[in-house]
């Protein structure tokens, strides 16, 4: 608490950290079906996230990794020099990537570890819409909004 006295402030008490009573809750993800990182979809997503998060200078095209529906560009002035996919999960109840046919679309949540250096990195979840093209190549259509969440429990 601070008091204004004759144009100057005086400290009456120090700030205290308090632990207010709170109720915890858990939010479940609807992205629960694992996707193989070394499969065709996993490899396509790996190429996309590397290009999206680590492109520098004139090497900033996403052209071969995205469909015509994709709106956006690689991160400008990115601090990241490396990206590693930690996991890929698709929506519960959706078909598997291995059973997809050209024209099919999936929603996936890609967890990546993007490194600015050996000791400095960020973990990010990228919700993406992907489609299987006529040539059996997976392409990113865009970012999935809103992110899909499951039940909320207490």
């Amino acid at each position: 608490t601070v008091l204004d006295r004759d144009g100057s402030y005086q400290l009456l008490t120090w700030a205290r950290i308090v632990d207010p009573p709170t109720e915890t809750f858990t939010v479940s993800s609807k992205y629960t079906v694992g996707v193989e990182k070394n499969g065709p979809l996993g490899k396509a997503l790996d190429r996309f996230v590397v290009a999206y998060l680590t492109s520098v200078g004139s090497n900033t095209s996403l052209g071969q990794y995205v469909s015509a529906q994709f709106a956006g560009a690689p991160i400008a002035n990115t601090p990241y020099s490396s990206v590693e996919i930690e996991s890929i999960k698709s929506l519960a109840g959706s078909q598997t990537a291995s059973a997809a046919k050209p024209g099919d679309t999936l929603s996936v949540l890609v967890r990546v570890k993007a490194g600015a250096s050996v000791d400095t990195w960020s973990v990010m979840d990228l919700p993406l819409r992907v489609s299987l093209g006529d040539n059996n190549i997976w392409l990113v259509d865009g970012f999935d909004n809103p992110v899909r969440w499951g039940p909320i429990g207490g």
Side-chain angles (χ1 to χ4, degrees):
T1 303
V2 177
L3 177 67
D4 179 11
R5 182 171 183 226
D6 297 328
S8 63
Y9 295 105
Q10 293 183 344
L11 182 66
L12 297 179
T13 60
W14 286 104
R16 287 181 284 153
I17 298 174
V18 286
D19 188 13
T22 58
E23 200 172 312
T24 61
F25 61 93
T26 304
V27 179
S28 301
S29 175
K30 279 198 173 183
Y31 301 91
T32 58
V33 180
V35 175
E36 187 179 332
K37 291 192 291 185
N38 293 322
L41 177 55
K43 289 179 180 178
L45 290 170
D46 185 61
R47 291 187 294 269
F48 170 78
V49 297
V50 167
Y52 186 75
L53 293 172
T54 66
S55 295
V56 292
S58 61
N59 187 21
T60 58
S61 174
L62 296 175
Q64 59 186 337
Y65 312 123
V66 299
S67 71
Q69 296 175 4
F70 188 86
I75 303 297
N77 301 316
T78 180
Y80 305 115
S81 58
S82 67
V83 178
E84 176 187 340
I85 291 181
E86 293 192 334
S87 68
I88 306 168
K89 294 186 178 181
S90 64
L91 282 176
S94 63
Q95 68 181 354
T96 62
S98 59
K101 295 176 179 35
D104 288 348
T105 302
L106 290 175
S107 290
V108 295
L109 188 65
V110 182
R111 177 164 286 177
V112 298
K113 182 177 178 180
S117 71
V118 173
D119 298 326
T120 307
W121 41 267
S122 301
V123 175
M124 296 174 253
D125 287 329
L126 305 175
L128 300 171
R129 272 185 335 278
V130 296
S131 60
L132 188 60
D134 291 334
N135 55 358
N136 285 318
I137 300 293
W138 286 100
L139 299 171
V140 176
D141 292 334
F143 287 90
D144 220 2
N145 286 318
V147 175
R148 316 244 179 95
W149 298 108
I152 299 174

